[in-house]
Amino acid sequence: MNCFNCLKSEKFLYFVGGIAAATVGVKALKSDTVRKACVSGLAKGMKIQKDAQAAFQTMKEDAQDLCYDAKVEAGCVEQSEE
């Protein structure tokens, strides 16, 4: 078998490309710049999640207040004195 025929094989080229991509990927993951970018992105995602949870809690409380006010207006619940 001629070795130059292996270089023309599409599967062989994919195999070599996969090895090269894995090697570059490992080097990139160990890079401080990539690590800092990943940590920064994760921190931003966590902040967005926390802000969304706070907004949801506020909307939930507002909805509960509106529901209570509607029940009081309909006479289903007596209004408590605070």
Side-chain angles (χ1 to χ4, degrees), residues 13-31:
L13 293 176
Y14 286 145
F15 177 74
V16 171
I19 291 173
T23 303
V24 170
V26 168
K27 297 256 186 212
L29 288 176
K30 291 182 180 179
S31 166

Side-chain angles (χ1 to χ4, degrees), residues 9-73:
S9 170
E10 189 175 332
K11 290 180 182 179
F12 179 73
L13 293 176
Y14 286 145
F15 177 74
V16 171
I19 291 173
T23 303
V24 170
V26 168
K27 297 256 186 212
L29 288 176
K30 291 182 180 179
S31 166
D32 284 339
T33 305
V34 172
R35 184 180 182 285
K36 287 178 185 177
C38 290
V39 169
S40 175
L42 184 61
K44 287 178 185 176
M46 291 170 68
K47 183 182 181 317
I48 289 170
Q49 180 186 17
K50 189 170 184 165
D51 291 346
Q53 287 175 339
F56 176 75
Q57 185 64 32
T58 301
M59 288 189 292
K60 182 179 174 185
E61 290 169 359
D62 290 346
Q64 288 172 338
D65 290 344
L66 287 172
C67 183
Y68 178 78
D69 291 344
K71 286 180 181 179
V72 168
E73 191 174 307

